[in-house]
């Protein structure tokens, strides 16, 4: 098994194209062609984690946070980033980061937070637009179902909780085969008219290559007529944050206690709770204060995130319980999420969870 095989699987969980523009997810050091020994999963790929991986026989560290965000002009070991890169290269330990792309999928970081709180009926808090495309292809009636099935098998036709979604319209296609062609129907040099269906299917933009390859392979024509257009529709399974419901409403103090217990917290920074019970809960792992107003507009009774600044607490408008549980604390169970996926997919590998607590923040009690 090569490291590239592990990466290809991880990219089915969180496609790289879903990372934010400022991010630097992906393979940061090492080679995808290396044979993988074992895998160590961590939230951060610090020097200590890399040395732990080496000591445990793992030559791949899968981390949520990229250790390298910007360009490195020098690598002299003067800071923690450079020391981690040196340790990685020196010990032949590859580093792979799966960051905001994992934040932006409905089954990612925020889903793990929601699971800890027992939330139900979860959906993306702020879905992204510009991620959907539509394929129009023109197929002879005799092969329409075969081509449609190939597109579905390649991942096309998903809309929310529905799969194999498409639309067809009947019409007549015309073409004249030139010398050197090998037409499926008709004669060379003569215009041919064929009963065809126009099939329309929506798909995520990052699946375009596989969708088109499957469609062309299944299509009987030598030259396939098709169109691909970009859509402004929001993709409801992709975006920032998550919102769901508690199985039963809780008074604010009981909700805060639930947070404290489920995330192993010693302290919670929060706004003055509004005089109502907590039922609808929005959340975002990491630094999520940019979503406070969205959470408020969504009708959430509470919003849980990290890294909230003083003035940002005012954005709750005394209508929302805004709880800052800490960056590391909100994302800590991402390690379990990744380890479980990797172990299920690669049961013959040792997938280990780091024993290093990389949280740089301490609380004096």
């Amino acid at each position: 098994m090569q490291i590239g095989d592990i990466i290809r699987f991880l990219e089915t969980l969180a496609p790289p194209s879903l990372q934010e523009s400022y991010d630097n997810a992906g393979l940061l050091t090492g080679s995808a062609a290396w044979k993988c020994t074992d895998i160590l999963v961590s939230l951060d790929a610090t020097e200590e984690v890399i040395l732990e991986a080496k000591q445990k026989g793992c030559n791949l560290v899968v981390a949520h946070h990229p250790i390298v965000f910007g360009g490195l002009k020098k690598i002299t070991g003067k800071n923690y980033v450079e020391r981690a890169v040196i340790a990685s290269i020196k010990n032949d330990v590859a580093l792979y980061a799966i960051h905001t792309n994992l934040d932006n999928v409905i089954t990612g970081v925020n889903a793990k937070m929601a699971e800890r709180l027992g939330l139900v009926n979860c959906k993306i808090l702020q879905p992204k637009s510009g991620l959907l495309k539509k394929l129009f292809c023109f197929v002879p009636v005799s092969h329409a179902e075969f081509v449609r099935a190939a597109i579905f098998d390649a991942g096309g036709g998903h809309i929310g909780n529905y799969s194999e979604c498409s639309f067809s319209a009947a019409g007549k296609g015309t073409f004249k085969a030139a010398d050197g062609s090998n037409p499926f129907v008709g004669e060379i040099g003569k215009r041919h008219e064929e009963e065809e269906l126009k099939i329309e299917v929506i798909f995520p933009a990052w699946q375009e290559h596989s969708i088109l390859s499957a469609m062309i392979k299944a299509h009987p024509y030598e030259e396939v007529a098709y169109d691909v257009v970009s859509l402004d529709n929001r993709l409801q399974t992709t975006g920032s944050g998550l919102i769901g419901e508690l199985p039963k409403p809780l008074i604010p103090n009981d909700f805060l206690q639930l947070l404290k217990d489920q995330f192993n917290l010693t302290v919670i920074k929060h706004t003055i709770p509004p005089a109502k019970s907590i039922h609808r809960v929005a959340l975002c792992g990491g630094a999520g204060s940019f979503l406070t107003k969205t959470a408020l507009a969504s009708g959430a009774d509470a919003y849980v995130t990290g890294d909230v600044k003083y003035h940002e607490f005012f954005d709750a408008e005394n209508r929302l319980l805004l709880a800052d549980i800490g960056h590391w604390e909100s994302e800590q169970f991402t390690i379990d999420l990744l380890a479980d996926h990797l172990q299920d997919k690669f049961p013959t590998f040792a997938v280990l969870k780091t024993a290093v607590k990389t949280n740089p923040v301490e609380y004096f009690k």
Side-chain angles (χ1 to χ4, degrees):
M1 187 75 68
Q2 293 181 325
I3 286 176
D5 297 315
I6 312 297
I7 291 173
R8 278 186 286 276
F9 168 68
L10 290 171
E11 291 180 351
T12 65
L13 300 178
S17 59
L18 294 183
Q19 68 176 301
E20 301 294 338
S21 58
Y22 61 81
D23 201 7
N24 191 37
L27 186 63
L28 304 180
T29 66
S31 171
W34 287 355
K35 179 181 178 181
C36 187
T37 55
D38 291 318
I39 306 166
L40 183 68
V41 182
S42 179
L43 203 63
D44 305 282
T46 61
E47 180 184 17
E48 191 176 0
V49 169
I50 293 162
L51 296 178
E52 177 192 20
K54 180 67 175 180
Q55 188 270 327
K56 292 179 176 178
C58 303
N59 72 337
L60 174 61
V61 170
V62 175
H64 182 46
H65 296 140
I67 191 66
V68 178
F69 261 104
L72 294 176
K73 294 185 177 180
K74 298 178 182 179
I75 306 178
T76 61
K78 71 176 183 295
N79 58 43
Y80 79 99
V81 174
E82 293 181 10
R83 289 191 293 273
V85 172
I86 290 171
S88 168
I89 295 171
K90 184 177 179 180
N91 291 284
D92 290 330
V93 174
L95 302 181
Y96 182 85
I98 181 167
H99 190 211
T100 53
N101 47 329
L102 190 62
D103 292 329
N104 282 331
V105 293
I106 196 168
T107 53
V109 175
N110 299 313
K112 199 65 179 177
M113 292 178 66
E115 179 185 304
R116 297 292 299 184
L117 294 176
L119 300 186
V120 296
N121 302 323
C122 294
K123 60 182 181 179
I124 294 290
L125 179 59
Q126 183 174 277
K128 288 184 176 293
S129 60
L131 294 175
L132 283 171
K133 292 191 175 185
K134 181 181 279 191
L135 168 65
F136 301 85
C137 67
F138 303 86
V139 191
V141 174
S142 60
H143 284 68
E145 183 53 38
F146 185 66
V147 172
R148 192 184 353 248
I151 295 171
F152 291 157
D153 289 344
H158 286 271
I159 302 177
N161 292 325
Y162 295 84
S163 61
E164 301 189 8
C165 301
S166 71
F167 179 80
S168 299
K172 291 184 179 181
T174 64
F175 54 86
K176 182 167 69 173
D179 290 340
S181 63
N182 182 28
F184 175 69
V185 290
E187 299 179 35
I188 292 176
K190 293 184 178 181
R191 187 172 68 189
H192 178 79
E193 189 174 88
E194 182 72 17
E195 296 289 339
E196 295 180 340
L197 290 182
K198 180 177 74 169
I199 299 174
E200 303 180 26
V201 179
I202 288 177
F203 63 91
W206 60 88
Q207 291 183 329
E208 181 171 352
H209 177 73
S210 60
I211 296 285
L212 293 182
S213 295
M215 182 266 294
I216 291 171
K217 183 177 180 181
H219 205 290
Y221 285 178
E222 186 175 30
E223 297 292 343
V224 180
Y226 66 91
D227 302 310
V228 175
V229 298
S230 297
L231 304 178
D232 289 332
N233 305 47
R234 290 187 172 187
L235 182 53
Q236 298 298 325
T237 56
T238 304
S240 303
L242 208 67
I243 185 167
E245 300 170 348
L246 291 167
K248 63 177 182 179
L250 297 174
I251 63 171
N253 278 358
D254 287 349
F255 175 71
L256 290 169
Q257 188 63 52
L258 176 68
L259 272 181
K260 189 174 182 181
D261 293 342
Q262 290 300 313
F263 288 86
N264 306 315
L265 307 174
T266 57
V267 63
I268 301 175
K269 292 167 61 180
H270 64 86
T271 56
I272 298 172
K276 61 178 179 178
S277 59
I278 307 298
H279 186 208
R280 287 173 59 82
V281 178
L283 46 83
C284 179
S289 58
F290 69 99
L291 286 174
T292 301
K293 292 180 181 179
T294 306
L296 193 62
S298 72
D301 304 307
Y303 178 45
V304 181
T305 188
D307 293 350
V308 180
K309 297 179 182 178
Y310 173 81
H311 290 285
E312 293 170 338
F313 278 99
F314 287 104
D315 290 338
E317 299 282 359
N318 296 318
R319 294 159 45 203
L320 176 80
L321 173 60
L322 174 57
D324 180 347
I325 64 173
H327 194 123
W328 183 92
E329 288 81 2
S330 68
E331 296 182 329
Q332 60 184 297
F333 300 108
T334 305
I335 296 173
D336 298 328
L337 173 72
L338 289 169
D340 290 345
H341 278 303
L342 287 166
Q343 195 65 78
D344 287 345
K345 179 65 177 178
F346 305 105
T348 59
F349 269 76
V351 180
L352 308 178
K353 302 175 190 177
T354 182
V356 177
K357 185 178 180 181
T358 59
N359 189 5
V361 180
E362 293 289 337
Y363 301 96
F364 183 76
K365 300 187 287 289

